[in-house]
Amino acid sequence: MSIVIVGGNEGMVRQYKDLCKEYSCKVKVYPKSNGGIKDIGCPDLLVLFTNTVSHKMVRCALNDAKGKNLKIARCHTSSLVALRNILDEHVNS
């Protein structure tokens, strides 16, 4: 399963990737917008950490996801526990 994470803490990118690796998932993490998100590709799951990301970046990610068959998970907190809960819900189902 492939996952794109938008938002989150820059210092936790390695932990996000390690946790996704435990679930046998490939992951791309965009913790902040350096010129916006160009192309998220076609992941199976899009995770939006809404507390740590700008409205513009959320709109860019959602516009890029429009018309693609992917799941979108929004979460206010950007902790590892929150990501683990999202992965439990979407990966193991």
Side-chain angles (χ1 to χ4, degrees):
M1 177 176 233
S2 61
I3 299 171
V4 171
I5 299 174
V6 177
N9 297 316
E10 279 186 84
M12 291 183 61
V13 170
R14 173 66 12 213
Q15 285 114 347
Y16 295 150
K17 289 182 178 183
D18 290 342
L19 182 60
C20 289
K21 190 174 181 180
E22 288 178 25
Y23 284 82
S24 300
C25 297
K26 294 181 180 180
V27 65
K28 289 182 185 177
V29 183
Y30 297 99
K32 63 180 184 177
S33 65
N34 289 338
I37 300 171
K38 300 298 181 204
D39 183 27
I40 63 170
C42 193
D44 299 309
L45 176 64
L46 174 63
V47 177
L48 297 172
F49 288 135
T50 58
N51 191 33
T52 56
V53 69
S54 68
H55 293 285
K56 180 181 177 183
M57 200 163 162
V58 170
R59 281 193 309 269
C60 287
L62 291 176
N63 284 336
D64 201 25
K66 204 177 274 187
K68 298 176 183 174
N69 188 21
L70 59 97
K71 299 175 191 172
I72 299 174
R74 295 176 189 233
C75 185
H76 188 68
T77 62
S78 57
S79 66
L80 282 179
V81 173
L83 181 58
R84 185 179 302 276
N85 290 338
I86 290 169
L87 294 174
D88 284 338
E89 180 181 342
H90 292 282
V91 175
N92 294 332
S93 58

